[in-house]
Amino acid sequence: MVRSDDPSSPKRQKTEDGRRKRPAITAVRRISIPTSAPTRRCTCSTKSWIGSAGLGFEIDFKKFRYCFGWRPLDLDDSTMVDEPETNRDFIATLVNMALTKHNEERGASLELGKVLIANFHPSCAVTFYISFQVNDPSDGNQTKPYRAVVRYFPGDIEVVSCYPKI
């Protein structure tokens, strides 16, 4: 370590007119940040969030400490509705509304098969991100995966989107 009272110290060097001389920068050092296991884990989680779950579908909430208001919905509980109805019944109603709109716009005849997973984000309205299966009678009654986004405000329900899962 160089002491400030050392005559060779940059702090002590002065020019002829009495001002201090700044030390010369000889080279720009690159800082490399090592990729540690936690960073990689975080990157993978971020990629999964942005990738398949980027729109709120099928989020693995165990990978995150805090999800900024996003919550999984327990389909067999009755937190969103009054007993004896369950959340699954409520979500099925929302999905049927989304499928009705989808069928009208595209001339299809899809029917709800099974609700798979639902996540929600509360704000002034609650936005539901729902993954479900449909039966397509026009295609030999095949089961196809679909996703819907529905905004729910008491007295007002808006179907934002309803598309096949890619």
Side-chain angles (χ1 to χ4, degrees):
M1 184 168 142
V2 178
R3 294 177 43 184
S4 60
D5 59 340
D6 184 7
S8 64
S9 169
K11 289 184 179 180
R12 301 290 290 167
Q13 293 178 1
K14 294 184 179 180
T15 59
E16 291 177 7
D17 61 352
R19 289 185 294 168
R20 289 188 184 162
K21 212 178 183 185
R22 291 188 178 185
I25 299 174
T26 56
V28 177
R29 229 174 71 184
R30 277 208 162 148
I31 300 171
S32 64
I33 300 170
T35 306
S36 62
T39 305
R40 273 184 264 136
R41 243 184 280 123
C42 185
T43 304
C44 293
S45 297
T46 304
K47 285 180 183 175
S48 68
W49 174 266
I50 292 169
S52 65
L55 298 175
F57 302 99
E58 295 137 16
I59 299 170
D60 186 1
F61 287 93
K62 295 173 191 163
K63 292 183 179 180
F64 300 99
R65 288 185 184 167
Y66 185 73
C67 292
F68 304 102
W70 293 87
R71 300 283 181 259
L73 184 64
D74 184 0
L75 296 171
D76 298 319
D77 199 5
S78 59
T79 53
M80 296 280 180
V81 293
D82 294 327
E83 302 251 353
E85 192 179 19
T86 63
N87 292 339
R88 187 178 301 277
D89 300 328
F90 174 64
I91 294 299
T93 303
L94 297 179
V95 168
N96 281 323
M97 291 177 70
L99 282 175
T100 301
K101 180 180 176 184
H102 177 80
N103 288 339
E104 288 174 0
E105 289 175 351
R106 291 173 179 74
S109 59
L110 301 176
E111 301 167 354
L112 175 60
K114 178 170 82 169
V115 176
L116 301 174
I117 189 170
N119 297 317
F120 68 98
H121 185 264
S123 59
C124 61
V126 180
T127 305
F128 291 95
Y129 299 85
I130 310 163
S131 294
F132 56 98
Q133 291 178 343
V134 297
N135 297 324
D136 189 0
S138 67
D139 196 15
N141 216 20
Q142 284 190 336
T143 303
K144 298 177 181 179
Y146 263 70
R147 291 177 166 176
V149 178
V150 181
R151 279 194 201 106
Y152 175 78
F153 189 78
D156 187 26
I157 298 172
E158 176 191 4
V159 176
V160 178
S161 66
C162 183
Y163 294 105
K165 180 180 175 182
I166 299 173

